Amino acid sequence: MLRTEAAVDVTAIRDNVATLKAGTVAEVMAVVKADGYGHGLIGAAQAARAGGATWFGTATLDEAIVLREAGFTEHVLGWLWTPGESETVRSALRAGIDVSVSNNWQLETVRLAASDTARIHLKIDTGLSRNGATAADWPALVAAAASAQAAREVEVVGIWSHFAYADEPGHPTIGRQIAAFREALDVAARAGITPQVRHLANSAATLTLPEAHFDLVRPGIAVYGLSPMPGRQDFGLRPAMTLRAAVAGVKRVPGGAGVSYGHTYTTGRETTLALVPLGYADGIPRRATNAGPVMINGSRFTISGRVCMDQFVVDVGDLPVVSGDAVTLFGPGSHGEPTAQDWAEAVGTIHYEIVTRVGPRVPRTYVGQL
Ligand SMILES: *Cc1c(COP(=O)(O)O)cnc(C)c1O
């Protein structure tokens, strides 16, 4: 086996998207931002397409352009860009990428960058207070977009927003955001803008809130098989990523041996230490010191001592472990290995961060059939 690898099950991604698609009449935009949540942009997008995704969503325009350069002809929307990126906007528009617009400077940048009619999605902030125009700024943005549309400079393909609390069904914010979204659509309609696609739903809303599906849903984490509500594992999703490494060395040490920087772990008796060639440079949280779970040869252990930049150590007791044996940090959990959710709980974060932070030094390998 490789020194380290993030093995991505493309069949799982395909099936997850098919499951999401079966639960809605809307089209599916697979969100593949941040290198496909760490799974590899191209591999994830191919698998999502095989499952029925007809749109892709990225945060940056650069990610969207990479998809086009790789030959993807589906709709692609990029939504996070800054005033210094007018050249990137120009490239994106030339590549037929849809660009999100939240305010007047973005609309102006798009108008100036467009050589042909630019496809835009106007974003309304319905309560997340992140990207998107406020309700106060919305009428002016819509009016400016309507005149740019009349001049054929832009086509308002979409109107969209994003939830703050979709993973807490019944939270009062959800209903308020849906109502604010409908109000924004009405304001746009009165200004003559009736987009082809209205979209609001992330993974949690795709799985639990059909009234928020509109014309297009935007699942991200669920595409990769992780439940957006860790308390619910009944959505029929399969985690796609398995992170593993080969043991780089083993040694017998006596009791009382201090392990790794600062000796935050000390062996209790004579034991075997296994060296694992993954560290915080690879995205293993340093918070996993004496906390991160692993599986070696069918047995579960906890990291012993500090996670270093490139490596950590596991006290495996008297278990026969040899150099080259596989250490699984997380996977689907179907063979007793820890899951990304276990890691999230061990280090105080969410599984989104665990899979997304796996670094570029770890090769992504692809298993399964499309
Ligand atoms: C990341 C993101 C999504 C997907 O969210 P998940 O919770 O991963 O499904 C959808 N829409 C926007 C705007 C996002 O930033």
Side-chain angles (χ1 to χ4, degrees), residues 31 36 38 49 92 98 200 250:
V31 178
R49 175 170 62 190
D98 295 14
L200 178 58
V250 291

Side-chain angles (χ1 to χ4, degrees), residues 29-33 37 58-59 77 79 123 128 130-131 160-163 166-167 199-206 217-224 226 228 352:
M29 172 190 288
V31 178
V32 291
K33 63 191 181 189
Y37 287 47
T58 64
L77 172 64
W79 55 70
K123 189 163 195 187
L128 180 60
R130 210 171 67 176
N131 216 340
W160 72 305
S161 190
H162 194 41
F163 277 120
D167 54 344
H199 49 110
L200 178 58
N202 57 3
S203 293
T206 300
V217 294
R218 300 190 311 271
I221 197 71
V223 166
Y224 308 98
L226 300 175
Y352 287 73

Side-chain angles (χ1 to χ4, degrees), residues 102-307:
S102 287
N103 51 49
N104 279 314
W105 67 256
Q106 289 193 319
L107 183 62
E108 277 311 295
T109 304
V110 166
R111 285 182 54 227
L112 292 171
S115 47
D116 209 340
T117 305
R119 291 169 52 94
I120 65 170
H121 295 231
L122 295 178
K123 189 163 195 187
I124 172 79
D125 177 5
T126 52
L128 180 60
S129 299
R130 210 171 67 176
N131 216 340
T134 61
D137 292 340
W138 183 247
L141 178 61
V142 159
S147 32
Q149 181 158 271
R152 296 183 185 279
E153 293 166 336
V154 304
E155 178 189 2
V156 181
V157 175
I159 290 180
W160 72 305
S161 190
H162 194 41
F163 277 120
Y165 269 107
D167 54 344
E168 291 186 30
H171 194 283
T173 299
I174 294 172
R176 269 188 244 130
Q177 284 197 258
I178 295 174
F181 189 58
R182 291 197 176 280
E183 174 61 25
L185 291 169
D186 288 346
V187 169
R190 287 199 290 277
I193 293 181
T194 49
Q196 296 158 28
V197 287
R198 303 158 298 165
H199 49 110
L200 178 58
N202 57 3
S203 293
T206 300
L207 290 163
T208 65
L209 265 183
E211 66 270 34
H213 288 186
F214 293 93
D215 309 303
L216 178 64
V217 294
R218 300 190 311 271
I221 197 71
V223 166
Y224 308 98
L226 300 175
S227 172
M229 303 164 192
R232 284 195 58 182
Q233 296 297 330
D234 57 330
F235 296 126
L237 304 170
R238 266 182 10 249
M241 186 191 289
T242 297
L243 179 63
R244 61 169 84 91
V247 171
V250 291
K251 64 179 84 173
R252 287 295 280 182
V253 298
V259 175
S260 193
Y261 292 130
H263 287 180
T264 62
Y265 179 86
T266 305
T267 57
R269 59 176 180 82
E270 183 181 313
T271 190
T272 299
L273 299 179
L275 180 64
V276 181
L278 282 167
Y280 59 79
D282 303 298
I284 310 308
R286 192 167 174 277
R287 284 279 301 270
T289 293
N290 289 314
V294 301
M295 189 172 79
I296 307 176
N297 297 343
S299 297
R300 293 275 289 254
F301 299 98
T302 300
I303 291 175
S304 307
R306 292 231 176 105
V307 172

